[in-house]
Amino acid sequence: MTDQTREEKLVEYLKRVTGDLVEAKERLAAVEAAAAEPIAVVGMACRMPGGGDTPDRFWQALRDGVDAMTEAPADRWHAEDYFDPDPTASGKAYTQQGGFLPDIAGWDAAFFGISPQEALRIDPQHRMLFELVWEAIEDAGITTERLRGTKTGVFLGLVDSRQYLQLEAEAEGLQGNDDPYLTLGGSPSAAAGRLAYQFDLHGPVMTLDTACSSSLVALDLAMASLRRGEIDHAIVCSSSAMVHPVLFVQFSKMGMLAPDGKAKVFDEAGNGYTLGEGGGAVILTRASDAGEHRVHALLRGSAVNSDGRSNGLTAPNKQAQIAVLRSALANAGLRPDDLDFLEAQGTGSALGDAIEFGALLEVFGDRAVDRPLLIGAVKSNIGHLVASSGMASLIKTVQAVKHGDVPGNLHLDKPNPVVTTDGPVRPAQGNQPMRSAPGAPRRAGVSAFGWSGTNAHVIVEQAPAEVAEPSRAQEWQLLTLSAASDAGLASVATALADHLESTPDLALADVAHTVQKGRSALRVRRALVCRDIEDAVTRLRGEITGTQTPPSKQTVGLVADGSTDWAADLAAAVPEFDGAGDPVAALGALLSAAGVHVSAGKADVRLAIDPGAGDVALRADGKLGRPEWLAALGRLWELGVPVDWAGAGRFADLPTYPFQRTRFWPNHTPTPLTQEVPGVVVERFPRPDLRTPFLPARTPTERVVTQVWQENLGIEAIGVNDPFFELGGTSMIGVAVVTKLAKDFDVELSAASLFERPTAAQFAELLDSLTTGTTDSSAPASPSVVDVQAARGARRRAIAQGRKGAA
């Protein structure tokens, strides 16, 4: 009996269940369709270096070619205390350049109902997530009331750096251990749990750490959960922050940072990446459930895999990258030719970039040269955001397919020998239009590869064009503003006025629709009746005072006073009531409180034809036109009456909530150690059993190389023919070894040279070829001249080896 495919087995099972093959095939088709349904990105928010604090401003910065690298801010640490160009200097980093946000200490804790004591203990990366998620929810036009209690999942990509805990420990010593908020404030699992708790979400909640691929792995899991029907909405978010200089010291010791603070992605001079901080959040739903949402883009497919055992834990694997690209395309039901743009991992490492570009050529190299696949690298602008790097790439790519442009990569002057600039796959040099196939939507891929060995790729597609239906031409509209404080309300009004002035083509009906139905009703409220955009700006810039609403719902009473003229006026003023028959019933449908009672009985708020003290006027000056009706409805909303807004319109792109931040930061600036600390004594292990016979060092250079290897590998004795990687060496240890030997011999060496010459004898031969003159038998060589051509030749051979699958 031959093995059945998964689909054949499923058909047989459905036949047994239904007894009808036709019905079974229909069910199978439905299952397959659900498994491949596009996922809609309906909300986005971000914090990116270089002024990218919204997706639109981030996009503009990329198009403007902003290089966000700056020196570490003085309110973090004193950069000069931790800088030393010598990569082997203890406790120092050879660069202090990074992509910093202007403020990671400030947070609107009061807005989220969190006490100052607890806010101080919450890691600033976790705090950033609260604001990002709130802004993404508002961008999606969803109120938090609508999400409460729903099957909404939280999928968080976050690296547990423990920087903030270290800063707190330095500031307070053992005293901080007595604070019950300390551990929870730095817990990665609590970071996702806090979001679900804050918004009362009941879907799956998880924190994922796969290093640089964390964001896209979280996205892949969210897409799968939506397609299985486990949830109706997904929040995918990520954040990163550079809180303590230890991060720079560690990455410098691993040799991963570019000394000049420039990530030269796909360039021959690529010598590492730059660190950055920031974050982002997206709100996802199934495309079939997007409804009236604005859809930024569709996610067509995704895939995740692992490098397995490569040339080291952090070393890339070309074959695994090829596999994840092809799997994502298959998951999306697309071919390589269907993509127009691909945002690469692109770190700026000569070897890593060569391997990645080789994988891209393998998958996309058969395309026509006149419609090449453009390759982007956002890390050249904002640095490597670690866990959030995939989120930065995703938001850039969503904007690219939306606008049809590809921003150029920075610092690409002389391409890496493996990189083609005129072939079917080429880096974007300068801003270029995205060229999709005739009649096809724009499509792009996003890659993220973690040093954990976990690779992820996602396919993004241009959203279908919206049907351009003109908004209702009602002159008068009601703008509902709310905030958590009086200061917040004033900021809301100012931000909206600024936006309306800068985008005068907005329809006032769309603005009203967005603030009424797409913004949560907060405690301090003000409703404004406006005739047009100009009138709205004037009123928003006027004196704004808010009404403090009570915490509970309000019941409404109606005092008719024996008059019924208002009923006909109401039906004439509000088209939604035409034909309603009973305007009182229609009024009750709008007010989702306990209902509208035609009585003067007990009620929290009373609507009156002839209002007395405290009553809301249902009719003013003997008439009930649209402005008067909107004023009454707005006043009810200000007083805490829930309103089921019936106005027509489309969701507009409006400013999100302007948080009122307070600084929460330990009263401490990191300083280097001022006294010698005893080093950790590490017991060395005996030489492992190798197939290679032990042969001791014979020359001065071999003795130096084996000694450096012994110190870094922790092995008692190493023979000159022992392979470095069979001794337990990794690419990370290899960087430290090469850096130390380059310093000792005063030569230029690339980390790739160790892959080509993996024994002490071979590496000593390379060092001798790069130097002239030797010292006596007891001292290391003291070179003075470097053979640059030989060094570059070794580097090119290492890159070529990498292309053949060395990594």
Side-chain angles (χ1 to χ4, degrees):
M1 181 178 178
T2 60
D3 291 338
Q4 290 179 305
T5 65
R6 178 174 175 272
E7 289 77 10
E8 290 171 338
K9 290 179 179 179
L10 185 54
V11 168
E12 289 298 322
Y13 168 76
L14 292 174
K15 284 173 62 178
R16 292 197 301 272
V17 172
T18 64
D20 184 352
L21 179 58
V22 173
E23 186 179 351
K25 288 184 176 180
E26 289 176 351
R27 292 194 180 191
L28 176 58
V31 169
E32 291 176 339
E37 180 176 2
I39 301 300
V41 180
V42 296
M44 293 196 301
C46 69
R47 298 275 191 287
M48 300 298 169
D53 56 353
T54 69
D56 285 343
R57 282 194 277 268
F58 177 42
W59 176 247
Q60 190 58 52
L62 295 178
R63 286 194 48 78
D64 292 343
V66 170
D67 184 346
M69 296 306 107
T70 62
E71 191 172 77
D75 63 352
R76 306 281 182 93
W77 62 85
H78 301 309
E80 63 274 13
D81 290 344
Y82 288 90
F83 174 74
D84 195 311
D86 180 1
T88 65
S90 178
K92 307 288 186 178
Y94 55 75
T95 181
Q96 289 290 309
Q97 294 285 314
F100 292 90
L101 296 178
D103 178 24
I104 63 170
W107 191 41
D108 197 344
F111 180 87
F112 296 105
I114 293 176
S115 71
Q117 178 67 17
E118 185 175 7
L120 177 63
R121 294 306 184 193
I122 299 176
D123 190 305
Q125 297 178 120
H126 305 183
R127 301 179 208 155
M128 193 189 309
L129 293 167
F130 277 78
E131 295 185 0
L132 287 169
V133 169
W134 182 276
E135 290 171 5
I137 290 172
E138 286 199 335
D139 183 66
I142 304 174
T143 65
T144 54
E145 292 85 358
R146 284 174 53 196
L147 284 181
R148 187 173 297 128
T150 64
K151 293 192 301 179
T152 297
V154 178
F155 302 83
L156 168 61
L158 187 71
V159 169
D160 180 17
S161 65
R162 302 187 68 80
Q163 297 174 75
Y164 192 63
L165 287 172
Q166 180 169 344
L167 188 69
E168 291 175 303
E170 292 176 3
E172 302 175 58
L174 296 177
Q175 181 180 351
N177 293 333
D178 292 330
D179 192 326
Y181 290 122
L182 183 70
T183 299
L184 195 65
S187 166
S189 61
R194 284 183 190 276
L195 295 173
Y197 175 83
Q198 181 72 32
F199 300 110
D200 190 19
L201 310 177
H202 291 247
V205 177
M206 60 191 73
T207 302
L208 300 109
D209 179 0
T210 61
C212 324
S213 58
S214 300
S215 302
L216 292 196
V217 173
L219 192 76
D220 174 82
L221 291 174
M223 292 171 63
S225 186
L226 281 164
R227 284 170 167 170
R228 288 195 300 268
E230 295 174 343
I231 54 177
D232 297 321
H233 287 92
I235 297 171
V236 183
C237 51
S238 184
S239 67
S240 63
M242 295 182 286
V243 175
H244 196 283
V246 68
L247 196 69
F248 275 80
V249 175
Q250 279 284 292
F251 277 88
S252 290
K253 292 300 177 280
M254 289 186 283
M256 293 184 171
L257 301 183
D260 60 356
K262 297 184 184 299
K264 299 170 282 294
V265 184
F266 301 127
D267 193 89
E268 186 180 40
N271 57 353
Y273 51 77
T274 54
L275 287 171
E277 64 186 4
V282 293
I283 309 298
L284 310 179
T285 189
R286 289 176 289 272
S288 58
D289 293 334
E292 63 177 354
H293 290 298
R294 287 179 305 126
V295 178
H296 293 291
L298 299 176
L299 306 179
R300 285 290 305 273
S302 62
V304 174
N305 73 359
S306 173
D307 285 341
R309 189 171 182 85
S310 59
N311 275 338
L313 177 63
T314 63
N317 185 325
K318 177 181 175 181
Q319 295 306 315
Q321 292 180 14
I322 292 171
V324 79
L325 290 168
R326 288 177 171 161
S327 294
L329 286 166
N331 183 253
L334 299 173
R335 303 165 303 156
D337 282 356
D338 292 328
L339 298 194
D340 313 304
F341 166 62
L342 190 143
E343 178 66 22
Q345 166 74 0
T347 60
S349 160
L351 182 59
D353 288 355
I355 291 172
E356 182 174 13
F357 205 87
L360 296 176
L361 285 172
E362 185 75 22
V363 177
F364 300 99
D366 293 333
R367 298 168 64 99
V369 176
D370 61 353
R371 194 176 146 258
L373 180 69
L374 297 176
I375 307 299
V378 75
K379 293 180 182 64
S380 66
N381 298 91
I382 63 173
H384 192 338
L385 273 56
V386 195
S388 297
S389 61
M391 185 61 68
S393 296
L394 174 71
I395 293 176
K396 171 188 173 180
T397 304
V398 168
Q399 294 286 62
V401 299
K402 180 191 291 189
H403 295 283
D405 292 327
V406 175
N409 303 321
L410 302 185
H411 317 310
L412 182 54
D413 301 320
K414 187 177 181 181
N416 186 302
V418 178
V419 174
T420 59
T421 58
D422 57 357
V425 179
R426 63 183 75 165
Q429 295 181 286
N431 298 339
Q432 301 180 42
M434 194 182 298
R435 299 173 57 187
S436 57
R442 294 185 288 267
R443 298 189 181 102
V446 187
S447 288
F449 309 139
W451 71 0
S452 61
T454 303
N455 307 308
H457 192 80
V458 175
I459 308 293
V460 181
E461 182 175 283
Q462 177 186 5
E466 294 184 10
V467 178
E469 295 181 358
S471 298
R472 286 180 46 189
Q474 289 284 350
E475 288 185 345
W476 294 94
Q477 298 292 339
L478 183 69
L479 302 186
T480 52
L481 315 178
S482 70
S485 64
D486 290 328
L489 186 67
S491 296
V492 167
T494 299
L496 183 55
D498 291 344
H499 185 75
L500 295 183
E501 283 189 327
S502 64
T503 52
D505 57 336
L506 276 175
L508 187 59
D510 292 341
V511 176
H513 179 77
T514 303
V515 296
Q516 290 170 5
K517 303 191 73 171
R519 296 291 187 266
S520 296
L522 303 176
R523 182 172 56 89
V524 182
R525 304 181 187 181
R526 179 65 188 275
L528 301 176
V529 179
C530 308
R531 180 190 296 274
D532 50 30
I533 292 290
E534 184 178 356
D535 183 39
V537 171
T538 300
R539 291 176 179 272
L540 288 166
R541 295 210 184 280
E543 184 177 347
I544 298 290
T545 58
T547 296
Q548 301 278 342
T549 61
S552 59
K553 288 184 178 181
Q554 302 288 79
T555 58
V556 182
L558 178 62
V559 184
D561 290 343
S563 171
T564 58
D565 294 344
W566 66 272
D569 294 340
L570 179 61
V574 186
E576 289 83 3
F577 293 168
D578 286 349
D582 183 0
V584 174
L587 183 61
L590 269 181
L591 306 180
S592 52
V596 177
H597 309 287
V598 185
S599 70
K602 183 178 179 181
D604 299 304
V605 180
R606 300 202 316 172
L607 274 166
I609 303 300
D610 298 310
D615 290 341
V616 176
L618 184 59
R619 184 173 63 189
D621 299 327
K623 63 178 181 177
L624 183 66
R626 181 172 174 82
E628 290 75 26
W629 160 246
L630 291 177
L633 195 59
R635 183 56 181 161
L636 287 168
W637 175 81
E638 288 178 347
L639 294 171
V641 176
V643 177
D644 185 12
W645 300 104
R650 296 178 298 174
F651 283 113
D653 184 13
L654 299 182
T656 53
Y657 189 78
F659 294 103
Q660 309 298 298
R661 298 185 176 95
T662 301
R663 182 177 174 84
F664 296 98
W665 201 258
N667 186 22
H668 174 72
T669 300
T671 55
L673 292 172
T674 57
Q675 59 183 15
E676 292 293 328
V677 178
V680 178
V681 178
V682 179
E683 181 182 354
R684 291 191 179 181
F685 289 88
R687 176 177 179 266
D689 292 332
L690 301 174
R691 290 170 295 179
T692 307
F694 179 81
L695 183 65
R698 297 155 299 185
T699 69
T701 306
E702 288 180 350
R703 281 195 289 274
V704 173
V705 172
T706 55
Q707 182 179 355
V708 172
W709 285 21
Q710 287 168 190
E711 292 172 354
N712 282 273
L713 291 170
I715 294 176
E716 188 63 39
I718 291 177
V720 294
N721 291 330
D722 294 350
F724 178 81
F725 296 102
E726 291 185 22
L727 293 168
T730 65
S731 56
M732 193 178 299
I733 298 176
V735 168
V737 165
V738 170
T739 300
K740 180 67 166 63
L741 291 171
K743 179 184 178 183
D744 289 346
F745 286 83
D746 193 21
V747 295
E748 180 184 333
L749 292 171
S750 72
S753 58
L754 191 58
F755 288 93
E756 185 182 39
R757 297 172 180 265
T759 70
Q762 292 171 333
F763 208 86
E765 181 183 9
L766 171 64
L767 288 171
D768 287 337
S769 73
L770 296 176
T771 62
T772 60
T774 59
T775 61
D776 60 35
S777 59
S778 62
S782 179
S784 59
V785 179
V786 178
D787 184 346
V788 177
Q789 288 186 342
R792 287 180 176 173
R795 179 172 157 196
R796 283 195 294 270
R797 289 193 296 275
I799 292 173
Q801 184 179 1
R803 292 186 63 193
K804 295 176 182 178

